[in-house]
C-alpha cells in the first residue's frame, strides 16, 4: 500500500514537473527572437531626437524588457556629438549615429522594417544622392540618403558584415551635419 502511494506521488510529481516545463517552453517561444528585438528597438529609438547614448540604451533596454526580453541581446552603437562627446569613431560628415547589430543574416526583415519606419512620422523626407562619405559596402542590402528637413539629411543603411563569430546584420541611421543656410 505504501509502495503504491509513493509510486502514485512520484507519478503526480513527474507529471507536474513535465507540465511546468512545457508551460515554460511555450512561454519562451512566445518571446520575440533577437532579430525581432533588435529591429523593433531600432524603430522605437533611433529616430527619437535629443537622446544621449545612455538614454538611447536605457530606452532600448526598456523596449526589450517590455517585450519579455532581458538586457540588450544585440549590439548598440550610438552617438550624438551635438549633445555629448563620444569615444566612438565618428563617421566624417555626421553628428549622430544609431546602429543595432545582431548575429545572422536578416537583411530582408530589417530592410522591410526600415522602409516601413521611414513612412511613419517623423517621415524621412525625399531620397537624395548619397554623400561622398557614404557608399554601399560588401553586404549592403539597402542604403539611401534622405532629406529630413531643409538643412538636415540622413543616410540609412542595412547590410551584413563578417565578424569573428560569423555574419551579423546591421541597421543604422546617420544624421549628416546640417548644411549652412542659404545666404542668397
Amino acid at each position: 500500500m505504501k509502495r503504491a502511494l509513493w509510486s502514485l506521488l512520484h507519478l503526480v510529481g513527474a507529471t507536474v514537473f513535465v507540465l511546468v516545463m512545457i508551460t515554460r517552453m511555450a512561454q519562451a517561444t512566445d518571446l520575440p527572437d533577437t532579430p525581432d528585438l533588435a529591429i523593433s528597438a531600432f524603430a522605437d529609438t533611433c529616430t527619437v531626437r535629443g537622446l544621449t547614448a545612455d538614454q538611447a540604451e536605457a530606452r532600448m533596454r526598456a523596449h526589450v524588457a517590455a517585450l519579455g526580453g532581458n538586457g540588450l541581446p544585440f549590439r548598440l552603437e550610438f552617438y550624438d556629438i551635438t549633445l555629448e562627446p563620444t569615444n566612438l569613431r565618428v563617421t566624417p560628415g555626421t553628428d549622430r549615429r544609431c546602429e543595432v547589430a545582431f548575429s545572422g543574416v536578416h537583411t530582408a526583415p530589417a530592410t522591410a522594417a526600415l522602409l516601413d519606419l521611414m513612412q511613419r512620422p517623423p517621415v524621412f523626407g525625399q531620397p537624395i544622392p548619397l554623400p561622398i562619405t557614404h557608399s554601399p559596402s560588401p553586404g549592403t542590402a539597402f542604403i539611401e540618403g534622405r532629406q529630413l528637413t531643409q538643412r538636415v539629411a540622413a543616410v540609412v543603411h542595412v547590410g551584413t558584415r563578417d565578424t569573428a563569430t560569423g555574419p551579423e546584420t546591421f541597421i543604422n541611421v546617420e544624421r549628416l551635419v546640417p548644411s549652412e543656410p542659404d545666404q542668397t
Side-chain angles (χ1 to χ4, degrees):
M1 181 75 163
K2 280 186 174 182
R3 183 174 258 179
L5 182 59
W6 277 112
S7 294
L8 181 61
L9 287 174
H10 280 263
L11 180 62
V12 169
T15 302
V16 169
F17 176 76
V18 168
L19 290 173
V20 167
M21 294 307 294
I22 289 171
T23 301
R24 284 188 179 182
M25 288 172 53
Q27 289 172 342
T29 59
D30 290 344
L31 297 177
D33 59 11
T34 297
D36 290 339
L37 288 170
I39 292 166
S40 63
F42 178 90
D44 182 67
T45 302
C46 288
T47 60
V48 175
R49 289 185 250 169
L51 297 177
T52 65
D54 287 342
Q55 290 168 330
E57 181 177 337
R59 184 178 173 105
M60 284 193 178
R61 286 181 181 278
H63 176 83
V64 168
L67 294 176
N70 187 15
L72 283 186
F74 49 85
R75 189 174 48 77
L76 168 64
E77 186 174 286
F78 184 94
Y79 64 77
D80 187 334
I81 60 174
T82 67
L83 299 176
E84 64 184 357
T86 184
N87 292 329
L88 299 173
R89 185 183 72 78
V90 174
T91 303
T94 70
D95 62 12
R96 183 178 191 270
R97 173 186 178 87
C98 186
E99 177 179 287
V100 296
F102 44 97
S103 294
V105 177
H106 306 280
T107 55
T111 301
L114 180 61
L115 291 171
D116 179 61
L117 176 65
M118 291 190 317
Q119 298 305 312
R120 293 187 270 140
V123 176
F124 267 62
Q126 297 299 315
I128 59 170
L130 287 174
I132 195 166
T133 55
H134 291 76
S135 61
S137 57
T140 292
F142 178 82
I143 187 169
E144 191 169 82
R146 287 288 181 131
Q147 193 69 44
L148 304 178
T149 68
Q150 186 175 1
R151 294 182 50 226
V152 179
V155 174
V156 291
H157 195 174
V158 176
T160 59
R161 58 184 159 233
D162 291 325
T163 70
T165 59
E168 75 175 2
T169 299
F170 65 88
I171 313 169
N172 71 45
V173 58
E174 292 183 306
R175 185 177 64 200
L176 304 177
V177 174
S179 61
E180 294 297 320
D182 191 5
Q183 300 295 325
T184 58

